[in-house]
PDB file of all heavy atoms in Angstrom:
ATOM      1  N   LEU A   1       0.820  -1.202   0.003  1.00 96.00           N
ATOM      2  CA  LEU A   1       0.054   0.049  -0.005  1.00 96.00           C
ATOM      3  C   LEU A   1       0.889   1.201   0.130  1.00 96.00           C
ATOM      4  O   LEU A   1       0.528   2.256  -0.639  1.00 96.00           O
ATOM      5  CB  LEU A   1      -0.990   0.004   1.182  1.00 96.00           C
ATOM      6  CG  LEU A   1      -2.061  -1.014   1.232  1.00 96.00           C
ATOM      7  CD1 LEU A   1      -2.813  -0.982   2.574  1.00 96.00           C
ATOM      8  CD2 LEU A   1      -3.034  -0.790   0.089  1.00 96.00           C
ATOM      9  N   GLU A   2       1.911   1.208   0.752  1.00 96.00           N
ATOM     10  CA  GLU A   2       2.882   2.344   0.798  1.00 96.00           C
ATOM     11  C   GLU A   2       3.416   2.579  -0.586  1.00 96.00           C
ATOM     12  O   GLU A   2       3.560   3.676  -1.128  1.00 96.00           O
ATOM     13  CB  GLU A   2       3.955   2.100   1.787  1.00 96.00           C
ATOM     14  CG  GLU A   2       3.525   2.252   3.264  1.00 96.00           C
ATOM     15  CD  GLU A   2       4.784   2.065   4.171  1.00 96.00           C
ATOM     16  OE1 GLU A   2       5.480   3.000   4.417  1.00 96.00           O
ATOM     17  OE2 GLU A   2       5.050   0.904   4.512  1.00 96.00           O
ATOM     18  N   ARG A   3       4.047   1.526  -1.259  1.00 95.00           N
ATOM     19  CA  ARG A   3       4.544   1.665  -2.602  1.00 95.00           C
ATOM     20  C   ARG A   3       3.611   1.989  -3.698  1.00 95.00           C
ATOM     21  O   ARG A   3       3.877   2.973  -4.479  1.00 95.00           O
ATOM     22  CB  ARG A   3       5.213   0.386  -2.858  1.00 95.00           C
ATOM     23  CG  ARG A   3       6.559   0.058  -2.063  1.00 95.00           C
ATOM     24  CD  ARG A   3       7.081  -1.272  -2.469  1.00 95.00           C
ATOM     25  NE  ARG A   3       8.289  -1.593  -1.755  1.00 95.00           N
ATOM     26  CZ  ARG A   3       8.919  -2.792  -1.797  1.00 95.00           C
ATOM     27  NH1 ARG A   3       8.366  -3.734  -2.582  1.00 95.00           N
ATOM     28  NH2 ARG A   3      10.112  -3.027  -1.231  1.00 95.00           N
ATOM     29  N   ASN A   4       2.478   1.354  -3.743  1.00 94.00           N
ATOM     30  CA  ASN A   4       1.556   1.621  -4.768  1.00 94.00           C
ATOM     31  C   ASN A   4       0.806   2.786  -4.733  1.00 94.00           C
ATOM     32  O   ASN A   4       0.295   3.344  -5.750  1.00 94.00           O
ATOM     33  CB  ASN A   4       0.621   0.316  -4.890  1.00 94.00           C
ATOM     34  CG  ASN A   4       1.326  -0.900  -5.276  1.00 94.00           C
ATOM     35  OD1 ASN A   4       2.462  -0.890  -5.671  1.00 94.00           O
ATOM     36  ND2 ASN A   4       0.674  -2.016  -5.034  1.00 94.00           N
ATOM     37  N   TYR A   5       0.523   3.366  -3.505  1.00 94.00           N
ATOM     38  CA  TYR A   5      -0.359   4.489  -3.325  1.00 94.00           C
ATOM     39  C   TYR A   5       0.387   5.626  -2.737  1.00 94.00           C
ATOM     40  O   TYR A   5      -0.313   6.768  -2.456  1.00 94.00           O
ATOM     41  CB  TYR A   5      -1.556   4.175  -2.625  1.00 94.00           C
ATOM     42  CG  TYR A   5      -2.464   3.152  -3.416  1.00 94.00           C
ATOM     43  CD1 TYR A   5      -2.234   1.762  -3.147  1.00 94.00           C
ATOM     44  CD2 TYR A   5      -3.389   3.504  -4.296  1.00 94.00           C
ATOM     45  CE1 TYR A   5      -3.043   0.804  -3.722  1.00 94.00           C
ATOM     46  CE2 TYR A   5      -4.081   2.554  -5.077  1.00 94.00           C
ATOM     47  CZ  TYR A   5      -3.979   1.199  -4.732  1.00 94.00           C
ATOM     48  OH  TYR A   5      -4.689   0.294  -5.384  1.00 94.00           O
ATOM     49  N   GLY A   6       1.614   5.599  -2.412  1.00 93.00           N
ATOM     50  CA  GLY A   6       2.412   6.706  -1.867  1.00 93.00           C
ATOM     51  C   GLY A   6       1.880   7.062  -0.399  1.00 93.00           C
ATOM     52  O   GLY A   6       1.869   8.213  -0.086  1.00 93.00           O
ATOM     53  N   LEU A   7       1.424   6.048   0.378  1.00 96.00           N
ATOM     54  CA  LEU A   7       0.846   6.411   1.644  1.00 96.00           C
ATOM     55  C   LEU A   7       1.959   6.459   2.686  1.00 96.00           C
ATOM     56  O   LEU A   7       2.994   5.774   2.549  1.00 96.00           O
ATOM     57  CB  LEU A   7      -0.147   5.368   2.062  1.00 96.00           C
ATOM     58  CG  LEU A   7      -1.386   5.168   1.112  1.00 96.00           C
ATOM     59  CD1 LEU A   7      -2.235   3.951   1.582  1.00 96.00           C
ATOM     60  CD2 LEU A   7      -2.204   6.380   1.058  1.00 96.00           C
ATOM     61  N   ASP A   8       1.715   7.137   3.818  1.00 96.00           N
ATOM     62  CA  ASP A   8       2.532   7.009   4.935  1.00 96.00           C
ATOM     63  C   ASP A   8       2.369   5.772   5.700  1.00 96.00           C
ATOM     64  O   ASP A   8       1.286   5.145   5.493  1.00 96.00           O
ATOM     65  CB  ASP A   8       2.495   8.273   5.865  1.00 96.00           C
ATOM     66  CG  ASP A   8       1.000   8.360   6.430  1.00 96.00           C
ATOM     67  OD1 ASP A   8       0.767   7.658   7.532  1.00 96.00           O
ATOM     68  OD2 ASP A   8       0.188   9.088   5.913  1.00 96.00           O
ATOM     69  N   ARG A   9       3.215   5.332   6.480  1.00 96.00           N
ATOM     70  CA  ARG A   9       3.148   4.020   7.226  1.00 96.00           C
ATOM     71  C   ARG A   9       1.864   3.913   8.067  1.00 96.00           C
ATOM     72  O   ARG A   9       1.171   2.842   8.010  1.00 96.00           O
ATOM     73  CB  ARG A   9       4.280   3.828   8.076  1.00 96.00           C
ATOM     74  CG  ARG A   9       4.346   2.551   8.941  1.00 96.00           C
ATOM     75  CD  ARG A   9       4.119   1.360   8.164  1.00 96.00           C
ATOM     76  NE  ARG A   9       5.101   1.033   7.121  1.00 96.00           N
ATOM     77  CZ  ARG A   9       6.258   0.276   7.360  1.00 96.00           C
ATOM     78  NH1 ARG A   9       6.485  -0.229   8.522  1.00 96.00           N
ATOM     79  NH2 ARG A   9       7.155   0.142   6.406  1.00 96.00           N
ATOM     80  N   ALA A  10       1.409   5.031   8.801  1.00 96.00           N
ATOM     81  CA  ALA A  10       0.336   4.923   9.699  1.00 96.00           C
ATOM     82  C   ALA A  10      -0.927   4.731   8.930  1.00 96.00           C
ATOM     83  O   ALA A  10      -1.724   3.890   9.282  1.00 96.00           O
ATOM     84  CB  ALA A  10       0.199   6.213  10.542  1.00 96.00           C
ATOM     85  N   THR A  11      -1.032   5.441   7.758  1.00 97.00           N
ATOM     86  CA  THR A  11      -2.156   5.333   6.979  1.00 97.00           C
ATOM     87  C   THR A  11      -2.392   3.945   6.323  1.00 97.00           C
ATOM     88  O   THR A  11      -3.460   3.244   6.311  1.00 97.00           O
ATOM     89  CB  THR A  11      -2.324   6.387   5.912  1.00 97.00           C
ATOM     90  OG1 THR A  11      -2.339   7.644   6.513  1.00 97.00           O
ATOM     91  CG2 THR A  11      -3.699   6.291   4.977  1.00 97.00           C
ATOM     92  N   ALA A  12      -1.266   3.448   5.832  1.00 98.00           N
ATOM     93  CA  ALA A  12      -1.199   2.149   5.207  1.00 98.00           C
ATOM     94  C   ALA A  12      -1.633   1.010   6.156  1.00 98.00           C
ATOM     95  O   ALA A  12      -2.351   0.098   5.810  1.00 98.00           O
ATOM     96  CB  ALA A  12       0.078   1.875   4.453  1.00 98.00           C
ATOM     97  N   ALA A  13      -0.928   1.166   7.408  1.00 97.00           N
ATOM     98  CA  ALA A  13      -1.208   0.194   8.406  1.00 97.00           C
ATOM     99  C   ALA A  13      -2.807   0.170   8.714  1.00 97.00           C
ATOM    100  O   ALA A  13      -3.302  -0.903   8.976  1.00 97.00           O
ATOM    101  CB  ALA A  13      -0.401   0.403   9.598  1.00 97.00           C
ATOM    102  N   HIS A  14      -3.248   1.294   8.948  1.00 98.00           N
ATOM    103  CA  HIS A  14      -4.655   1.464   9.291  1.00 98.00           C
ATOM    104  C   HIS A  14      -5.555   0.737   8.267  1.00 98.00           C
ATOM    105  O   HIS A  14      -6.398  -0.007   8.565  1.00 98.00           O
ATOM    106  CB  HIS A  14      -5.110   2.913   9.430  1.00 98.00           C
ATOM    107  CG  HIS A  14      -6.477   3.196   9.277  1.00 98.00           C
ATOM    108  ND1 HIS A  14      -7.565   2.612   9.965  1.00 98.00           N
ATOM    109  CD2 HIS A  14      -7.159   3.832   8.195  1.00 98.00           C
ATOM    110  CE1 HIS A  14      -8.695   3.034   9.521  1.00 98.00           C
ATOM    111  NE2 HIS A  14      -8.483   3.757   8.446  1.00 98.00           N
ATOM    112  N   LEU A  15      -5.309   1.013   6.972  1.00 98.00           N
ATOM    113  CA  LEU A  15      -6.158   0.599   5.883  1.00 98.00           C
ATOM    114  C   LEU A  15      -6.018  -0.995   5.848  1.00 98.00           C
ATOM    115  O   LEU A  15      -7.063  -1.711   5.611  1.00 98.00           O
ATOM    116  CB  LEU A  15      -5.785   1.164   4.569  1.00 98.00           C
ATOM    117  CG  LEU A  15      -6.163   2.607   4.399  1.00 98.00           C
ATOM    118  CD1 LEU A  15      -5.548   3.163   3.097  1.00 98.00           C
ATOM    119  CD2 LEU A  15      -7.655   2.841   4.418  1.00 98.00           C
ATOM    120  N   HIS A  16      -4.802  -1.511   6.061  1.00 98.00           N
ATOM    121  CA  HIS A  16      -4.474  -2.901   5.934  1.00 98.00           C
ATOM    122  C   HIS A  16      -5.239  -3.568   7.047  1.00 98.00           C
ATOM    123  O   HIS A  16      -5.823  -4.689   6.853  1.00 98.00           O
ATOM    124  CB  HIS A  16      -3.045  -3.225   6.088  1.00 98.00           C
ATOM    125  CG  HIS A  16      -2.644  -4.627   6.020  1.00 98.00           C
ATOM    126  ND1 HIS A  16      -2.853  -5.281   4.827  1.00 98.00           N
ATOM    127  CD2 HIS A  16      -1.986  -5.472   6.868  1.00 98.00           C
ATOM    128  CE1 HIS A  16      -2.431  -6.564   4.976  1.00 98.00           C
ATOM    129  NE2 HIS A  16      -1.905  -6.588   6.238  1.00 98.00           N
ATOM    130  N   ARG A  17      -5.220  -3.154   8.326  1.00 97.00           N
ATOM    131  CA  ARG A  17      -5.833  -3.847   9.384  1.00 97.00           C
ATOM    132  C   ARG A  17      -7.310  -3.611   9.415  1.00 97.00           C
ATOM    133  O   ARG A  17      -8.076  -4.404  10.033  1.00 97.00           O
ATOM    134  CB  ARG A  17      -5.192  -3.419  10.785  1.00 97.00           C
ATOM    135  CG  ARG A  17      -5.629  -1.938  11.162  1.00 97.00           C
ATOM    136  CD  ARG A  17      -5.080  -1.612  12.622  1.00 97.00           C
ATOM    137  NE  ARG A  17      -5.422  -0.212  12.875  1.00 97.00           N
ATOM    138  CZ  ARG A  17      -4.525   0.610  13.138  1.00 97.00           C
ATOM    139  NH1 ARG A  17      -3.213   0.258  12.952  1.00 97.00           N
ATOM    140  NH2 ARG A  17      -4.795   1.823  13.416  1.00 97.00           N
ATOM    141  N   THR A  18      -7.851  -2.701   8.761  1.00 98.00           N
ATOM    142  CA  THR A  18      -9.265  -2.411   8.791  1.00 98.00           C
ATOM    143  C   THR A  18      -9.997  -3.118   7.528  1.00 98.00           C
ATOM    144  O   THR A  18     -10.959  -3.656   7.799  1.00 98.00           O
ATOM    145  CB  THR A  18      -9.604  -0.809   8.546  1.00 98.00           C
ATOM    146  OG1 THR A  18      -8.875  -0.221   9.717  1.00 98.00           O
ATOM    147  CG2 THR A  18     -11.008  -0.533   8.690  1.00 98.00           C
ATOM    148  N   TYR A  19      -9.384  -3.062   6.440  1.00 98.00           N
ATOM    149  CA  TYR A  19     -10.040  -3.573   5.185  1.00 98.00           C
ATOM    150  C   TYR A  19      -9.286  -4.860   4.586  1.00 98.00           C
ATOM    151  O   TYR A  19      -9.810  -5.498   3.720  1.00 98.00           O
ATOM    152  CB  TYR A  19     -10.114  -2.526   4.122  1.00 98.00           C
ATOM    153  CG  TYR A  19     -10.806  -1.267   4.544  1.00 98.00           C
ATOM    154  CD1 TYR A  19     -10.122  -0.156   5.073  1.00 98.00           C
ATOM    155  CD2 TYR A  19     -12.225  -1.299   4.625  1.00 98.00           C
ATOM    156  CE1 TYR A  19     -10.714   0.959   5.509  1.00 98.00           C
ATOM    157  CE2 TYR A  19     -12.871  -0.043   5.069  1.00 98.00           C
ATOM    158  CZ  TYR A  19     -12.173   0.957   5.492  1.00 98.00           C
ATOM    159  OH  TYR A  19     -12.778   2.165   5.893  1.00 98.00           O
ATOM    160  N   GLY A  20      -8.178  -5.130   5.127  1.00 98.00           N
ATOM    161  CA  GLY A  20      -7.400  -6.400   4.703  1.00 98.00           C
ATOM    162  C   GLY A  20      -7.159  -6.260   3.149  1.00 98.00           C
ATOM    163  O   GLY A  20      -6.744  -5.264   2.630  1.00 98.00           O
ATOM    164  N   SER A  21      -7.479  -7.414   2.590  1.00 97.00           N
ATOM    165  CA  SER A  21      -7.268  -7.466   1.011  1.00 97.00           C
ATOM    166  C   SER A  21      -8.123  -6.567   0.212  1.00 97.00           C
ATOM    167  O   SER A  21      -7.873  -6.373  -1.068  1.00 97.00           O
ATOM    168  CB  SER A  21      -7.524  -8.877   0.604  1.00 97.00           C
ATOM    169  OG  SER A  21      -8.896  -9.394   0.860  1.00 97.00           O
ATOM    170  N   ARG A  22      -9.033  -5.914   0.866  1.00 98.00           N
ATOM    171  CA  ARG A  22      -9.973  -4.981   0.111  1.00 98.00           C
ATOM    172  C   ARG A  22      -9.502  -3.539   0.343  1.00 98.00           C
ATOM    173  O   ARG A  22     -10.176  -2.619  -0.169  1.00 98.00           O
ATOM    174  CB  ARG A  22     -11.378  -5.051   0.488  1.00 98.00           C
ATOM    175  CG  ARG A  22     -11.840  -6.595   0.224  1.00 98.00           C
ATOM    176  CD  ARG A  22     -13.336  -6.824   0.286  1.00 98.00           C
ATOM    177  NE  ARG A  22     -13.663  -8.123  -0.115  1.00 98.00           N
ATOM    178  CZ  ARG A  22     -14.847  -8.544  -0.325  1.00 98.00           C
ATOM    179  NH1 ARG A  22     -15.886  -7.767  -0.173  1.00 98.00           N
ATOM    180  NH2 ARG A  22     -15.194  -9.915  -0.465  1.00 98.00           N
ATOM    181  N   ALA A  23      -8.380  -3.350   0.933  1.00 98.00           N
ATOM    182  CA  ALA A  23      -7.982  -1.903   1.144  1.00 98.00           C
ATOM    183  C   ALA A  23      -7.817  -1.116  -0.156  1.00 98.00           C
ATOM    184  O   ALA A  23      -8.056   0.102  -0.276  1.00 98.00           O
ATOM    185  CB  ALA A  23      -6.609  -1.875   1.934  1.00 98.00           C
ATOM    186  N   ALA A  24      -7.264  -1.876  -1.291  1.00 96.00           N
ATOM    187  CA  ALA A  24      -7.069  -1.104  -2.564  1.00 96.00           C
ATOM    188  C   ALA A  24      -8.495  -0.551  -3.011  1.00 96.00           C
ATOM    189  O   ALA A  24      -8.475   0.428  -3.829  1.00 96.00           O
ATOM    190  CB  ALA A  24      -6.420  -1.966  -3.514  1.00 96.00           C
ATOM    191  N   ARG A  25      -9.518  -1.197  -2.824  1.00 97.00           N
ATOM    192  CA  ARG A  25     -10.881  -0.770  -3.210  1.00 97.00           C
ATOM    193  C   ARG A  25     -11.196   0.529  -2.603  1.00 97.00           C
ATOM    194  O   ARG A  25     -11.861   1.313  -3.135  1.00 97.00           O
ATOM    195  CB  ARG A  25     -11.919  -1.809  -2.905  1.00 97.00           C
ATOM    196  CG  ARG A  25     -11.578  -3.225  -3.586  1.00 97.00           C
ATOM    197  CD  ARG A  25     -12.820  -4.226  -3.292  1.00 97.00           C
ATOM    198  NE  ARG A  25     -12.491  -5.470  -3.772  1.00 97.00           N
ATOM    199  CZ  ARG A  25     -13.372  -6.579  -3.781  1.00 97.00           C
ATOM    200  NH1 ARG A  25     -14.699  -6.244  -3.458  1.00 97.00           N
ATOM    201  NH2 ARG A  25     -13.039  -7.777  -4.172  1.00 97.00           N
ATOM    202  N   VAL A  26     -10.805   0.721  -1.341  1.00 98.00           N
ATOM    203  CA  VAL A  26     -10.998   1.977  -0.678  1.00 98.00           C
ATOM    204  C   VAL A  26     -10.321   3.175  -1.380  1.00 98.00           C
ATOM    205  O   VAL A  26     -10.779   4.189  -1.695  1.00 98.00           O
ATOM    206  CB  VAL A  26     -10.739   1.953   0.765  1.00 98.00           C
ATOM    207  CG1 VAL A  26     -10.795   3.286   1.471  1.00 98.00           C
ATOM    208  CG2 VAL A  26     -11.499   0.857   1.455  1.00 98.00           C
ATOM    209  N   LEU A  27      -8.967   2.807  -1.675  1.00 97.00           N
ATOM    210  CA  LEU A  27      -8.165   3.844  -2.313  1.00 97.00           C
ATOM    211  C   LEU A  27      -8.493   4.182  -3.748  1.00 97.00           C
ATOM    212  O   LEU A  27      -8.334   5.278  -4.200  1.00 97.00           O
ATOM    213  CB  LEU A  27      -6.678   3.294  -2.152  1.00 97.00           C
ATOM    214  CG  LEU A  27      -6.063   3.311  -0.824  1.00 97.00           C
ATOM    215  CD1 LEU A  27      -4.821   2.494  -0.797  1.00 97.00           C
ATOM    216  CD2 LEU A  27      -5.855   4.719  -0.344  1.00 97.00           C
ATOM    217  N   GLU A  28      -9.214   3.236  -4.327  1.00 96.00           N
ATOM    218  CA  GLU A  28      -9.674   3.612  -5.683  1.00 96.00           C
ATOM    219  C   GLU A  28     -10.725   4.822  -5.674  1.00 96.00           C
ATOM    220  O   GLU A  28     -10.819   5.567  -6.637  1.00 96.00           O
ATOM    221  CB  GLU A  28     -10.451   2.388  -6.341  1.00 96.00           C
ATOM    222  CG  GLU A  28      -9.410   1.274  -6.788  1.00 96.00           C
ATOM    223  CD  GLU A  28     -10.034   0.008  -7.197  1.00 96.00           C
ATOM    224  OE1 GLU A  28     -11.267  -0.072  -7.178  1.00 96.00           O
ATOM    225  OE2 GLU A  28      -9.400  -1.060  -7.407  1.00 96.00           O
ATOM    226  N   LEU A  29     -11.402   4.812  -4.477  1.00 96.00           N
ATOM    227  CA  LEU A  29     -12.422   5.851  -4.361  1.00 96.00           C
ATOM    228  C   LEU A  29     -11.762   7.252  -3.959  1.00 96.00           C
ATOM    229  O   LEU A  29     -12.474   8.226  -3.996  1.00 96.00           O
ATOM    230  CB  LEU A  29     -13.454   5.521  -3.271  1.00 96.00           C
ATOM    231  CG  LEU A  29     -14.274   4.240  -3.543  1.00 96.00           C
ATOM    232  CD1 LEU A  29     -15.261   3.948  -2.494  1.00 96.00           C
ATOM    233  CD2 LEU A  29     -15.117   4.395  -4.924  1.00 96.00           C
ATOM    234  N   ALA A  30     -10.455   7.166  -3.641  1.00 93.00           N
ATOM    235  CA  ALA A  30      -9.694   8.464  -3.416  1.00 93.00           C
ATOM    236  C   ALA A  30      -9.354   9.123  -4.660  1.00 93.00           C
ATOM    237  O   ALA A  30      -8.960  10.303  -4.653  1.00 93.00           O
ATOM    238  CB  ALA A  30      -8.540   8.136  -2.523  1.00 93.00           C
ATOM    239  N   GLU A  31      -9.430   8.433  -5.812  1.00 86.00           N
ATOM    240  CA  GLU A  31      -9.190   8.954  -7.082  1.00 86.00           C
ATOM    241  C   GLU A  31      -7.783   9.625  -7.144  1.00 86.00           C
ATOM    242  O   GLU A  31      -7.628  10.749  -7.717  1.00 86.00           O
ATOM    243  CB  GLU A  31     -10.192   9.997  -7.519  1.00 86.00           C
ATOM    244  CG  GLU A  31     -11.599   9.260  -7.674  1.00 86.00           C
ATOM    245  CD  GLU A  31     -12.707  10.268  -8.015  1.00 86.00           C
ATOM    246  OE1 GLU A  31     -12.466  11.479  -7.890  1.00 86.00           O
ATOM    247  OE2 GLU A  31     -13.800   9.836  -8.410  1.00 86.00           O
ATOM    248  N   GLY A  32      -6.751   8.903  -6.583  1.00 84.00           N
ATOM    249  CA  GLY A  32      -5.334   9.451  -6.651  1.00 84.00           C
ATOM    250  C   GLY A  32      -4.955  10.465  -5.622  1.00 84.00           C
ATOM    251  O   GLY A  32      -3.846  10.907  -5.645  1.00 84.00           O
ATOM    252  N   CYS A  33      -5.951  10.848  -4.854  1.00 88.00           N
ATOM    253  CA  CYS A  33      -5.690  11.840  -3.826  1.00 88.00           C
ATOM    254  C   CYS A  33      -6.227  11.473  -2.540  1.00 88.00           C
ATOM    255  O   CYS A  33      -7.346  11.968  -2.163  1.00 88.00           O
ATOM    256  CB  CYS A  33      -6.182  13.254  -4.217  1.00 88.00           C
ATOM    257  SG  CYS A  33      -5.784  14.598  -3.113  1.00 88.00           S
ATOM    258  N   PRO A  34      -5.531  10.644  -1.695  1.00 94.00           N
ATOM    259  CA  PRO A  34      -6.060  10.189  -0.466  1.00 94.00           C
ATOM    260  C   PRO A  34      -6.091  11.356   0.570  1.00 94.00           C
ATOM    261  O   PRO A  34      -5.095  11.702   1.132  1.00 94.00           O
ATOM    262  CB  PRO A  34      -5.130   9.098   0.013  1.00 94.00           C
ATOM    263  CG  PRO A  34      -4.331   8.723  -1.168  1.00 94.00           C
ATOM    264  CD  PRO A  34      -4.352   9.941  -2.083  1.00 94.00           C
ATOM    265  N   THR A  35      -7.359  11.857   0.950  1.00 96.00           N
ATOM    266  CA  THR A  35      -7.380  13.117   1.762  1.00 96.00           C
ATOM    267  C   THR A  35      -7.757  12.653   3.152  1.00 96.00           C
ATOM    268  O   THR A  35      -8.674  11.946   3.463  1.00 96.00           O
ATOM    269  CB  THR A  35      -8.501  13.988   1.172  1.00 96.00           C
ATOM    270  OG1 THR A  35      -8.339  14.233  -0.168  1.00 96.00           O
ATOM    271  CG2 THR A  35      -8.634  15.296   2.006  1.00 96.00           C
ATOM    272  N   PRO A  36      -6.855  13.097   4.090  1.00 96.00           N
ATOM    273  CA  PRO A  36      -7.152  12.870   5.562  1.00 96.00           C
ATOM    274  C   PRO A  36      -8.551  13.411   5.928  1.00 96.00           C
ATOM    275  O   PRO A  36      -8.908  14.486   5.471  1.00 96.00           O
ATOM    276  CB  PRO A  36      -5.918  13.457   6.218  1.00 96.00           C
ATOM    277  CG  PRO A  36      -4.985  13.611   5.234  1.00 96.00           C
ATOM    278  CD  PRO A  36      -5.588  13.912   3.939  1.00 96.00           C
ATOM    279  N   LEU A  37      -9.143  12.690   6.886  1.00 97.00           N
ATOM    280  CA  LEU A  37     -10.380  13.139   7.337  1.00 97.00           C
ATOM    281  C   LEU A  37     -10.338  14.123   8.610  1.00 97.00           C
ATOM    282  O   LEU A  37     -11.110  15.118   8.534  1.00 97.00           O
ATOM    283  CB  LEU A  37     -11.317  11.937   7.779  1.00 97.00           C
ATOM    284  CG  LEU A  37     -12.798  12.183   8.342  1.00 97.00           C
ATOM    285  CD1 LEU A  37     -13.485  12.779   7.091  1.00 97.00           C
ATOM    286  CD2 LEU A  37     -13.337  10.862   8.649  1.00 97.00           C
ATOM    287  N   VAL A  38      -9.385  13.767   9.503  1.00 96.00           N
ATOM    288  CA  VAL A  38      -9.194  14.639  10.596  1.00 96.00           C
ATOM    289  C   VAL A  38      -7.756  14.664  11.019  1.00 96.00           C
ATOM    290  O   VAL A  38      -7.194  13.578  10.986  1.00 96.00           O
ATOM    291  CB  VAL A  38     -10.139  14.147  11.785  1.00 96.00           C
ATOM    292  CG1 VAL A  38      -9.771  12.813  12.264  1.00 96.00           C
ATOM    293  CG2 VAL A  38     -10.104  15.175  12.962  1.00 96.00           C
ATOM    294  N   GLU A  39      -7.273  15.700  11.532  1.00 95.00           N
ATOM    295  CA  GLU A  39      -5.859  15.745  11.968  1.00 95.00           C
ATOM    296  C   GLU A  39      -5.529  14.850  13.102  1.00 95.00           C
ATOM    297  O   GLU A  39      -6.287  14.667  14.012  1.00 95.00           O
ATOM    298  CB  GLU A  39      -5.449  17.194  12.348  1.00 95.00           C
ATOM    299  CG  GLU A  39      -4.008  17.433  12.633  1.00 95.00           C
ATOM    300  CD  GLU A  39      -3.657  18.953  12.987  1.00 95.00           C
ATOM    301  OE1 GLU A  39      -4.651  19.665  13.075  1.00 95.00           O
ATOM    302  OE2 GLU A  39      -2.571  19.108  13.405  1.00 95.00           O
ATOM    303  N   GLY A  40      -4.375  14.190  12.944  1.00 94.00           N
ATOM    304  CA  GLY A  40      -3.886  13.292  14.018  1.00 94.00           C
ATOM    305  C   GLY A  40      -4.329  11.785  13.917  1.00 94.00           C
ATOM    306  O   GLY A  40      -3.823  10.927  14.746  1.00 94.00           O
ATOM    307  N   TYR A  41      -5.154  11.505  12.927  1.00 97.00           N
ATOM    308  CA  TYR A  41      -5.658  10.161  12.804  1.00 97.00           C
ATOM    309  C   TYR A  41      -5.491   9.698  11.232  1.00 97.00           C
ATOM    310  O   TYR A  41      -5.482  10.550  10.309  1.00 97.00           O
ATOM    311  CB  TYR A  41      -7.101  10.093  13.165  1.00 97.00           C
ATOM    312  CG  TYR A  41      -7.270  10.085  14.674  1.00 97.00           C
ATOM    313  CD1 TYR A  41      -7.309  11.422  15.314  1.00 97.00           C
ATOM    314  CD2 TYR A  41      -7.184   8.913  15.523  1.00 97.00           C
ATOM    315  CE1 TYR A  41      -7.469  11.405  16.778  1.00 97.00           C
ATOM    316  CE2 TYR A  41      -7.270   9.045  16.832  1.00 97.00           C
ATOM    317  CZ  TYR A  41      -7.385  10.294  17.459  1.00 97.00           C
ATOM    318  OH  TYR A  41      -7.461  10.379  18.882  1.00 97.00           O
ATOM    319  N   PRO A  42      -5.367   8.352  10.999  1.00 97.00           N
ATOM    320  CA  PRO A  42      -5.119   7.962   9.728  1.00 97.00           C
ATOM    321  C   PRO A  42      -6.292   7.805   8.822  1.00 97.00           C
ATOM    322  O   PRO A  42      -6.203   7.294   7.703  1.00 97.00           O
ATOM    323  CB  PRO A  42      -4.340   6.680   9.916  1.00 97.00           C
ATOM    324  CG  PRO A  42      -5.092   6.098  11.062  1.00 97.00           C
ATOM    325  CD  PRO A  42      -5.323   7.341  12.047  1.00 97.00           C
ATOM    326  N   TYR A  43      -7.473   8.170   9.256  1.00 98.00           N
ATOM    327  CA  TYR A  43      -8.688   7.955   8.489  1.00 98.00           C
ATOM    328  C   TYR A  43      -8.859   8.865   7.183  1.00 98.00           C
ATOM    329  O   TYR A  43      -8.347  10.007   7.325  1.00 98.00           O
ATOM    330  CB  TYR A  43      -9.956   8.105   9.320  1.00 98.00           C
ATOM    331  CG  TYR A  43      -9.890   7.343  10.625  1.00 98.00           C
ATOM    332  CD1 TYR A  43      -9.811   7.865  11.840  1.00 98.00           C
ATOM    333  CD2 TYR A  43      -9.835   5.940  10.479  1.00 98.00           C
ATOM    334  CE1 TYR A  43      -9.773   7.115  12.997  1.00 98.00           C
ATOM    335  CE2 TYR A  43      -9.828   5.183  11.697  1.00 98.00           C
ATOM    336  CZ  TYR A  43      -9.784   5.802  12.846  1.00 98.00           C
ATOM    337  OH  TYR A  43      -9.751   4.943  14.060  1.00 98.00           O
ATOM    338  N   LEU A  44      -9.379   8.287   6.195  1.00 98.00           N
ATOM    339  CA  LEU A  44      -9.465   9.069   4.849  1.00 98.00           C
ATOM    340  C   LEU A  44     -10.892   9.352   4.480  1.00 98.00           C
ATOM    341  O   LEU A  44     -11.829   8.622   4.871  1.00 98.00           O
ATOM    342  CB  LEU A  44      -8.833   8.207   3.807  1.00 98.00           C
ATOM    343  CG  LEU A  44      -7.361   7.811   3.911  1.00 98.00           C
ATOM    344  CD1 LEU A  44      -6.945   6.893   2.807  1.00 98.00           C
ATOM    345  CD2 LEU A  44      -6.405   9.012   4.052  1.00 98.00           C
TER     346      LEU A  44
END
């Protein structure tokens, strides 16, 4: 996830432990720009 989508470690780890093998499907909805939801947390 870090390599393919340019994510920081915290965000990649969050997506991996939350969505597992479907994390990439979440990132597809970011349309190339994963925007943080709230400061201090890895949610998008």
